[in-house]
Amino acid sequence: MVTGAIKNKVDKIWTDIWAGGITNPLTVIEQLTYLMFIRSLDEKELATEDFENMAGEKMEHIFPASEAGQSMRWSKFKDKDSREIFLTMQQRVFPAIKKMKYGRLPDFDEKGELVEILSKLEQAQQEAEKLGKTLSEKEKDVLRTEDEKEQNTAFARYMDDAMFLIPTPQVLQKIITGLEDLYTHDIADLDMQGDLYEYMLGKLATAGQNGQFRTPKHIRDMMVELVQPTPDDFICDPACGTAGFLVSSAQYLRAHYEDSMTPEQWQHFSGSMFTGFDTDRTMLRISAMNLMLHSITNPEIDYKDSVSKQNSICSKYTVCLANPPFKGTVDAESINDDLKAVTNTKKTELLFLALFSCGCSKPADAAPASCRTACCSVPARRTRASEKNSLKTTSCGRSFPCPPACSSPTQACPQRCWCLPRPARAAPTRYGSTI
């Protein structure tokens, strides 16, 4: 739980950043996320070193063993002079995390130039040459496939154009000192770290021009509880933002299935289980780091307008969770033709509901209610109430005109429609509903 004292410390960090000239809340969150991510890497490295000392087994490390590599660790630079911290972050740490591969940071040569990590194929060829052997074509193909997967990870794609924007050594030192105080005295475990991050994301509560809303954690958790994801599901958020719904789904799965999941399910968990789309690259960077901090190392996070012709995915996901942009319109010519067939409109709220019927559709060999959809809705003006009520989404992801049986929230319609009818109100309200 984030107490008042913790909130005051976070607010002070926020004020220090604003005083340094960074006034965009999203940019502040992005820069803080970089620093929290860097600290988490050092925590993992310390845990690896402790395990090595206890078990006597050699393990792979995140940071290079060289002097330059070790200088990038949070525990090594946090107490140094502000100018030295700033140069370390600017010239070593930040360039290194942008080029992170296979869970490892690259090293620097004697001239201070970054030495990129070799691909697995190049590493294997070097090892084979030392032993006087050659790799077979089959082995090369396997290694090439692994290298291609690494190059296409969300982290690799969206961190490539990340920028370190903290303006001065003094501001950076204040932020590092503030974060270290929080982690040392107030954050006891990973759940507490998540609560802290949620409070920071709460600064983004106001809507943007594209109708973006951050969904509070308790609403996300409720929606995840309603759809009850399983370790075999494919989960999608077509308007993912900071990946909150995906993180809540991951936490639900850990809480309910952690002790019973198979190695294959854990591999599915760390990769293809989670998919998110957004049209803001800053959000995608935050999503990639947020998911990596929750042990989801290779999610499918893509820059994509979910309701446009750019999105051709159909019948792929078994769970859809979203708080889509319930505001504004889109260019009629760019709307996906499949969505037009469901609802001929330019209103994003209806288009996203139609999207669930295309992207979250029951597989042929699945049970009748295997696809679940939950949507946090922000109603439009009352003049469009009848239009929006004409389209509902069933538990199997199909869209259709809602039958009279749905007029009562306690009565289920023959098509298994899950909907909360909107009562007539004089003023618009925001509420959550399962659809």
Side-chain angles (χ1 to χ4, degrees), residues 70-280:
Q70 291 298 300
S71 70
M72 294 188 290
R73 298 179 61 170
W74 180 281
S75 57
K76 302 290 185 182
F77 66 69
K78 65 184 176 74
D79 295 322
K80 292 187 176 181
D81 178 74
S82 61
R83 288 168 295 181
E84 190 172 351
I85 295 174
F86 190 81
L87 289 174
T88 301
M89 283 291 301
Q90 192 178 54
Q91 298 177 3
R92 289 183 180 173
V93 179
F94 204 75
I97 64 170
K98 291 173 63 173
K99 298 297 181 182
M100 189 176 182
K101 287 183 182 178
Y102 312 111
R104 293 183 289 121
L105 293 171
D107 204 351
F108 290 82
D109 60 21
E110 296 176 354
K111 297 179 180 179
E113 298 292 332
L114 187 142
V115 180
E116 292 200 28
I117 296 173
L118 296 176
S119 66
K120 287 193 173 181
L121 176 59
E122 292 170 332
Q123 293 176 33
Q125 287 175 332
Q126 287 186 358
E127 291 294 328
E129 287 176 4
K130 291 178 182 178
L131 299 173
K133 298 179 180 180
T134 56
L135 297 175
S136 66
E137 287 301 319
K138 184 177 181 180
E139 290 174 325
K140 290 180 180 179
D141 289 340
V142 171
L143 293 170
R144 285 193 191 100
T145 301
E146 291 182 9
D147 290 334
E148 287 175 2
K149 286 182 180 179
E150 179 63 27
Q151 291 173 359
N152 290 323
T153 61
F155 187 86
R157 281 181 285 130
Y158 300 118
M159 283 300 294
D160 191 51
D161 58 354
M163 297 178 66
F164 180 67
L165 298 175
I166 296 175
T168 66
Q170 291 74 26
V171 172
L172 177 60
Q173 188 176 46
K174 286 181 180 179
I175 299 169
I176 289 176
T177 302
L179 287 175
E180 185 62 21
D181 181 38
L182 279 169
Y183 278 98
T184 303
H185 301 106
D186 302 297
I187 301 178
D189 51 33
L190 186 60
D191 290 336
M192 189 66 195
Q193 178 176 315
D195 291 342
L196 172 65
Y197 195 68
E198 286 294 330
Y199 176 68
M200 290 182 177
L201 291 177
K203 304 286 188 178
L204 302 178
T206 55
Q209 289 189 352
N210 295 323
Q212 301 150 317
F213 285 87
R214 175 190 162 271
T215 313
K217 186 177 187 298
H218 65 282
I219 300 295
R220 297 200 318 260
D221 291 345
M222 177 199 71
M223 292 167 66
V224 172
E225 289 279 349
L226 287 169
V227 299
Q228 299 177 355
T230 69
D232 297 317
D233 273 318
F234 288 83
I235 304 170
C236 177
D237 183 348
C240 68
T242 59
F245 277 114
L246 303 182
V247 168
S248 291
S249 299
Q251 292 171 338
Y252 176 91
L253 291 168
R254 284 186 177 279
H256 291 80
Y257 298 100
E258 186 169 18
D259 296 334
S260 60
M261 286 173 65
T262 65
E264 291 76 16
Q265 287 174 329
W266 279 116
Q267 186 175 3
H268 178 53
F269 177 91
S270 65
S272 59
M273 174 181 281
F274 301 99
T275 298
F277 304 133
D278 208 284
T279 55
D280 189 323

Side-chain angles (χ1 to χ4, degrees), residues 401-423:
C402 201
C406 288
S407 60
S408 170
T410 60
Q411 182 178 4
C413 70
Q415 291 91 342
R416 298 179 58 84
C417 176
W418 300 345
C419 55
L420 281 174
R422 184 183 301 109

Side-chain angles (χ1 to χ4, degrees), residues 274-346:
F274 301 99
T275 298
F277 304 133
D278 208 284
T279 55
D280 189 323
R281 290 186 68 88
T282 301
M283 288 290 190
L284 293 169
R285 277 195 291 274
I286 293 174
S287 295
M289 287 185 286
N290 195 12
L291 290 168
M292 185 172 281
L293 288 173
H294 289 84
S295 302
I296 304 169
T297 55
N298 193 20
E300 295 183 12
I301 302 295
D302 290 323
Y303 182 90
K304 188 174 292 185
D305 185 348
S306 297
V307 298
S308 72
K309 294 177 181 178
Q310 180 186 15
N311 183 11
S312 59
I313 296 173
C314 186
S315 304
K316 179 177 180 180
Y317 307 106
T318 56
V319 172
C320 283
L321 290 155
N323 181 3
F326 281 79
K327 178 181 177 182
T329 60
V330 294
D331 181 16
E333 294 182 0
S334 67
I335 299 173
N336 190 295
D337 293 333
D338 292 336
L339 303 186
K340 288 181 180 179
V342 177
T343 175
N344 189 18
T345 180
K346 296 189 292 182

